[in-house]
Every structure is written in structure tokens, then in C-alpha cells.
Amino acid sequence: MAKDRLAEVLERYEAVIGLEIHTELTSLRSKMFCGCPVAFGGEPNTRVCPVCLGMPGALPVPNEAAVEATVLAGLALECEIARFSQFHRKNYFYPDMPKNYQISQYDLPFCKNGHLDVEVGEGASAYVTRVGITRIHLEEDTGKMIHVGGAEGRIAGADYSLVDFNRAGTPLIELVTEPDIRTPEEARRFAQTLRTVFLALGISDCSMEEGSMRVDANVSIRPRGATEFGTKAEVKNMNSFKALHDALAYEIVRQADLLDSGGRVVQETRHWDAAAKRTSGLRSKEEAHDYRYFPEPDMVPFEFTDEWIASVKAKLPELPAARRERYAAELGLPKQDARLIADDVALSRFFEQAVSVAGADRAKPVANWVLGELSAHLNATGLAVEECGILPEMLAELVVLIEDGTISGKQGKDVFAEMAQTGERPGAVVERRGMRQVSDTDAIEAVARRVLDAHPDEVASYRGGKSGLIGWFVGQVMREMRGQANPAVVNDVLRALLDQQDR
Ligand code: ADP
Ligand code: ZN
Ligand code: MG
């Protein structure tokens, strides 16, 4: 869909968007109510037990680490934490749910009334928008259906369906936002920013592709200036940030076309088809009473004390927003660089270790190498920073070699490539390849004099006013010295010689 179509629609209508985000607590070792391990994929139905298979008589025992992770998420997002809370049964019938109900939370979620500030856009048009968090609650994930034969992956027309309960009972947190989001881009940035927070908390790997982070989007439109909300549709099945953005853009235009032609939006759940780039109606939306919620009778309610909540709060790590501020304020990084590093926990750790070796006054060049060569290397190899073979102190050593003039920036790139391939320390590469940059003024001056003597015409032109020739002279000297001279020193020496009128 053309971008300008969305822009045109958004001139007349305002979009209202609220997100519901499910995140599996993949960093926990065991499931929500039993001891089965939490992992992705694997041989179907091998990580199951009577509890997560919903066998009669099997009793759930809540995973304390999951409760703590949920409260940690709530505290990171400035939520109020419930003092009294409990699980409810949410009843519905679908073959991926062995108990025919899901243990979830209803009117007493662990966390509510929080918010997250989201930076949208870049440069001069950048702005910050605050998105309210209605609630965060804890529940268990369902199993997975695999529909075989018939129309690709569709229930209707499949020859038969298989079910895998490995995922059933995985601890899952559901976060619901207020309808505070106004554009597909804000929605994308909210989801990305939330992901950086959860990654910083270490509660999930937040993989949209593997489904450990799943975003459903509620969207409606209203004429600009209107105060009432329009009827919303809920869009599901986006498995990337781009898909979230594109599905919302499509849906906003679809709703505008409906209203423009005198139709009306019906409240329903719609499915995003990434290949066809469109949404289609899936089913009419369930109401809360359809689920016949009632308190889970197999577990006692939770009573959180202030001391317990404080003890969880004490475990909050530095969050990306605070880290961005610190990098900009204390290390002088440009805003954009600060964000790119701070949003990534592993990269931040690497960066800070490198800076602690190279020195805070070299934070900027360290950041340049982290975001430049190192990131390119990680992208090209698909390796994570902690497994790429380059240690923070190696990058620090490289930066110091360049900053103190031992090698040039250009030589630094060669050293980096070699270090990335062999794991050899930069100092050793420089020694072995005899790369030491010559900064010795006498040695450079001797060569510079030779070059000037060999090119009297160019010297005359320079002295006659063609000062741009300095670059050409520098090039000649560098070539003579096989690229090992310090370019800044070469420049100074040449200028000194050329500007001597008595020569
Ligand atoms: P429901 O009762 O249909 O589940 P909720 O009020 O619980 O609806 O809201 C579910 C999600 O939809 C929330 O994220 C909320 O912000 C969002 N939402 C509610 N009303 C609208 C609307 N009119 N347009 C867009 N999003 C909305
Ligand atoms: Zn189990
Ligand atoms: Mg609701």
C-alpha cells in the first residue's frame, strides 16, 4: 500500500490504537504451574507432565520466579503493584488447551496504571509520546496446533490437525496499553521500546519470529476533531515490527474507505496476511462474559507485602532510557549513537567494558567502532557480540593504537579485519605486520624534502596560490612511505616546508 495514501487518510481521520502484547518468560527454567522446562521447539509433546497436560487431579503450583518477573516488568513500567491479587480461570474450548480453561488473571492483575515514554522519529521531527499501560498480568501459554493439508495453514479445509503441548503452560505475561497510540509508526516504536526494556530486565528473549513476543493491535479511526472513539478492529498475527506497522497502515486505510463509502466498521478480530499484505475477518470478538471467569480454586490468592515489592524493586537493572541519558550526559555520545548502543543490553555491556579499558575520554571513538566495524561484522557473521571472538579489551586496544597515533584509522580497519578473523590482539597484528605508523618528524621530513625536490613545478604552483595541491603532496609522501606515515604529521611537515619562502 502506498505511503501517501495513509498520509492522506490521516489528514482527515485520527487513528486510535491500543496494543495487547503477550511475552513468554523464556528466561525462566520451568513452566508456570509445573516443573517442565521452558524451551522453543523440540520433539513435539516431550516437555509435558500431568499438570501441563491438564490431567484430572493434577494440581498447579505457581512459579515464584514468574510472579517476580511480572512484578519486575510492572515496576520498570512505573505500574502500581497489587497488594492483593489472584488467578482466575478463563474458560474456552480449543484443542491447544488441554484443560479447556486457561489460568489467567481477570480483575486483579499484578500490575496496573503504568506508562512508557517512546521516542518517535529522528532528528528535528523527533518527539516523545507517553503511552499508558492499563495492566500487566500473568498467565500460561497454550499449546500449538499444526494444521495439515488443505489450504496452507488454515483450519478450514485442513485434512487433519496435530497438537504439540510443549509450549502449553509456558509463563506468559500480557500487557495491555491505553488507546494512546496515534500512528502505525508510534505503535512500532512502542513495541520496539518495550522489547528493549524486557530484554534489559532479562525476562524474555522477545523474539517476534519465534512467537515469544506477540503483538495484537486494536485500531479505530475517528474524524479529526471528534472526541468519541470509533469502532475498533483487532488485528492479529503480525510476526515482525514491520508487519505490525504495515498491518495497522492497511487497516486504517481500509476503515477510512469503509466510512468514506457510507459503510461502518464492525468490531471483529482480523488476521494479517503478510504475503498478501492485507487483513481479513477472522471471527467476531468475544466478550468477557463468554469466558465465564471465576477465581482459580486450586490456588490461594497472593498478598504482596511492601517489603517483598521493595526487594523486587531492588533487582531492577539500569533501563535503556537511563542508560541513553548517561551515555549522552557523561560520555558525550551523540543522542542517536547513545540510543543505538543503550537499547542493546549486550552491546552496552561490551561498550562499557571497552570504555573502561580505553578511558572515558575515548568513549566517542569506541562508540564509532562498536556501531561501525563491530556491528557490520556481527551482521555479516550473524554472531552475537559475546560469541564473536572480539573481546571489549581488544577493541579498546585498537582504539588506543589509533588515538595515540601508532597506526592510522585506515590501518585500524585492516587490523580489525585481521583480529576478527584470527582473534589475534591488535598490538600483535601491528607488530607482526610491521604496521607501526611513522610519526617521527625527522623521518617524514626527509621523505617530504625528496618529494618537493622531485616536483619543482607543483611546488611553484602551490606557492603561487594553488593551496589545494597540499593533498596531492601528502599523497606522494604517503605512497613513498607505504602508507605508514601519520597523515597529520605529514601534513604539518609539508606545510612548514612549502610555506618557507627562503627555500
Ligand atoms: P475489549 O473489552 O474489547 O477487550 P478493552 O477496552 O479491554 O476492549 O481494550 C482492549 C484494547 O483495545 C486496549 O489496548 C485498548 O487500549 C484498546 N482500545 C479500546 N478501545 C479502543 C478503540 N475505540 N480504538 C482503538 N483501540 C481501542
Ligand atoms: Zn508440565
Ligand atoms: Mg478487554
Side-chain angles (χ1 to χ4, degrees):
M1 186 200 48
K3 261 223 175 80
D4 34 18
R5 183 80 179 88
L6 175 68
E8 183 273 316
V9 163
L10 287 180
E11 273 169 27
R12 294 179 294 128
Y13 291 102
E14 180 178 54
V16 171
I17 300 166
L19 302 179
E20 292 171 278
I21 302 186
H22 285 91
T23 309
E24 288 179 342
L25 301 175
T26 52
S27 33
L28 296 188
R29 270 174 303 160
S30 54
K31 290 188 181 178
M32 191 56 235
F33 300 111
C34 62
C36 291
V38 169
F40 176 74
E43 181 71 19
N45 300 307
T46 52
R47 292 191 302 270
V48 291
C49 74
V51 173
C52 58
L53 285 178
M55 297 294 182
L59 291 174
V61 178
N63 180 337
E64 187 182 353
V67 176
E68 190 177 302
T70 310
V71 171
L72 195 67
L75 291 169
L77 299 168
E78 320 263 355
C79 290
E80 298 160 19
I81 308 301
R83 295 305 191 271
F84 180 86
S85 183
Q86 72 188 141
F87 283 113
H88 272 71
R89 286 189 184 179
K90 181 180 183 179
N91 297 276
Y92 65 98
F93 305 105
Y94 197 70
D96 63 6
M97 245 194 2
K99 294 193 295 285
N100 276 337
Y101 61 83
Q102 178 189 32
I103 304 179
S104 180
Q105 295 195 287
Y106 182 47
D107 55 346
L108 294 168
F110 287 147
C111 321
K112 57 183 188 186
N113 297 334
H115 57 82
L116 178 62
D117 291 335
V118 178
E119 282 177 28
V120 189
E122 257 152 47
S125 60
Y127 62 96
V128 173
T129 185
R130 173 163 289 191
V131 177
I133 311 274
T134 315
R135 57 185 280 151
I136 308 174
H137 74 241
L138 181 57
E139 59 189 29
E140 55 178 335
D141 207 351
T142 59
K144 246 185 189 161
M145 299 292 294
I146 300 142
H147 306 294
V148 183
E152 264 298 296
R154 292 289 161 75
I155 308 166
D159 295 326
Y160 58 93
S161 296
L162 300 168
V163 65
D164 175 6
F165 289 122
N166 282 348
R167 195 180 72 176
T170 297
L172 188 67
I173 58 175
E174 177 175 338
L175 176 150
V176 180
T177 79
E178 290 293 298
D180 290 344
I181 298 166
R182 291 292 173 267
T183 65
E185 185 55 25
E186 287 182 10
R188 162 161 52 192
R189 289 292 304 138
F190 176 86
Q192 287 173 330
T193 307
L194 182 73
R195 182 172 185 273
T196 67
V197 172
F198 285 176
L199 288 174
L201 297 179
I203 59 177
S204 175
D205 60 8
C206 299
S207 163
M208 302 268 283
E209 299 76 37
E210 291 184 354
S212 57
M213 185 169 171
R214 311 193 283 270
V215 184
D216 299 337
N218 297 271
V219 53
S220 63
I221 59 171
R222 59 180 172 186
R224 291 243 161 231
T227 49
E228 300 260 294
F229 285 164
T231 303
K232 69 176 155 59
E234 183 178 4
V235 190
K236 286 182 179 289
N237 194 45
M238 292 82 76
N239 59 6
S240 67
F241 294 112
K242 181 176 189 299
L244 170 64
H245 174 278
D246 293 353
L248 281 168
Y250 176 90
E251 188 58 24
I252 290 165
V253 170
R254 185 189 72 87
Q255 292 184 10
D257 287 344
L258 263 175
L259 297 188
D260 286 347
S261 61
R264 57 183 198 87
V265 176
V266 285
Q267 178 157 346
E268 63 179 351
T269 302
R270 299 179 65 85
H271 178 94
W272 170 247
D273 183 336
K277 289 194 184 311
R278 58 189 213 90
T279 64
S280 55
L282 201 61
R283 54 183 152 88
S284 63
K285 163 113 188 128
E286 304 83 357
E287 303 283 339
H289 61 251
D290 292 331
Y291 293 126
R292 296 172 299 114
Y293 281 99
F294 64 87
E296 167 59 59
D298 287 339
M299 269 179 285
V300 295
F302 293 83
E303 288 184 55
F304 297 151
T305 62
D306 290 345
E307 294 72 50
W308 182 79
I309 294 169
S311 75
V312 178
K313 194 165 193 169
K315 294 181 186 170
L316 270 181
E318 183 181 37
L319 296 175
R323 198 150 56 218
R324 285 199 289 270
E325 289 278 302
R326 185 162 61 81
Y327 288 175
E330 287 176 19
L331 297 176
L333 295 198
K335 253 188 132 184
Q336 170 84 352
D337 292 2
R339 186 174 81 193
L340 286 170
I341 298 177
D343 278 0
D344 185 317
V345 192
L347 217 52
S348 299
R349 200 173 298 134
F350 184 99
F351 168 71
E352 291 190 25
Q353 280 170 13
V355 169
S356 77
V357 175
D361 53 328
R362 299 193 179 109
K364 250 179 171 156
V366 170
N368 289 341
W369 280 88
V370 165
L371 293 173
E373 301 293 309
L374 180 66
S375 294
H377 173 66
L378 298 178
N379 281 340
T381 56
L383 293 172
V385 67
E386 55 276 11
E387 64 182 12
C388 75
I390 298 171
L391 301 174
E393 47 275 28
M394 288 160 73
L395 192 76
E397 188 179 324
L398 177 60
V399 169
V400 170
L401 284 168
I402 297 164
E403 293 294 305
D404 74 7
T406 307
I407 57 173
S408 68
K410 196 172 159 302
Q411 288 175 314
K413 294 202 174 181
D414 293 339
V415 173
F416 182 92
E418 193 132 345
M419 159 174 95
Q421 211 170 32
T422 63
E424 200 176 350
R425 298 197 70 105
V429 176
V430 168
E431 286 303 328
R432 182 167 53 70
R433 292 188 38 188
M435 268 177 153
R436 250 169 213 293
Q437 168 174 269
V438 179
S439 299
D440 170 2
T441 317
D442 290 344
I444 290 173
E445 190 176 326
V447 179
R449 281 188 190 280
R450 270 211 309 280
V451 166
L452 297 190
D453 287 343
H455 299 95
D457 295 349
E458 284 80 0
V459 171
S461 302
Y462 176 91
R463 290 196 170 134
K466 280 188 80 177
S467 56
L469 272 171
I470 187 74
W472 182 82
F473 285 118
V474 171
Q476 297 303 308
V477 173
M478 291 300 280
R479 204 173 63 181
E480 290 264 321
M481 300 187 70
R482 300 197 327 280
Q484 294 190 7
N486 179 330
V489 177
V490 172
N491 217 296
D492 289 348
V493 166
L494 277 167
R495 276 185 201 281
L497 291 176
L498 283 163
D499 295 344
Q500 276 171 14
Q501 292 304 324
D502 58 333
R503 221 185 137 266

